[in-house]
């Protein structure tokens, strides 16, 4: 899960069972406005229970990004640095 809400909001307000993996400061293009992007891992499920990329209904526009996220944090970090 990638979003701009802090762990406290995601867990306490929305009831997600998640663990924070990392966070990254972001800024709006052409603006001084900044936000923090949070990367979470779902808790309480086995990796084997997670569906493959082919089993997830995903808009083709986002399928490349989904593949990068599913390939792990190192791959995601490399992609973000590009």
């Amino acid at each position: 899960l990638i979003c701009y809400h802090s762990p406290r909001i995601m867990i306490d307000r929305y009831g997600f069972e998640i663990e924070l993996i990392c966070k990254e400061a972001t800024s709006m293009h052409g603006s001084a406005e900044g936000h923090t992007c949070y990367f979470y891992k779902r808790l309480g499920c086995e990796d084997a229970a997670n569906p493959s990329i082919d089993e997830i209904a995903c808009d083709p526009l986002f399928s490349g990004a989904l593949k990068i996220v599913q390939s792990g944090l190192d791959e995601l970090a490399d992609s973000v640095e590009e």
Side-chain angles (χ1 to χ4, degrees):
L1 174 64
I2 302 171
C3 74
Y4 291 92
H5 291 301
S6 69
R8 175 136 340 264
I9 292 173
M10 295 302 292
I11 294 168
D12 294 346
R13 185 183 300 170
Y14 298 116
F16 280 87
E17 294 182 25
I18 53 176
E19 173 185 349
L20 179 65
I21 298 172
C22 66
K23 61 183 181 176
E24 187 67 36
T26 63
S27 61
M28 305 298 286
H29 181 71
S31 169
E33 184 179 353
H35 297 280
T36 301
C37 183
Y38 298 90
F39 297 83
Y40 298 100
K41 176 182 178 181
R42 185 173 21 167
L43 298 177
C45 64
E46 298 295 324
D47 287 343
N50 289 334
S52 73
I53 186 72
D54 298 326
E55 299 172 323
I56 297 175
C58 181
D59 187 305
L61 179 65
F62 302 108
S63 63
L66 180 58
K67 288 178 184 178
I68 292 170
V69 169
Q70 286 191 324
S71 50
L73 185 57
D74 291 335
E75 183 77 24
L76 178 61
D78 290 345
S79 174
V80 170
E81 287 190 15
E82 292 176 1

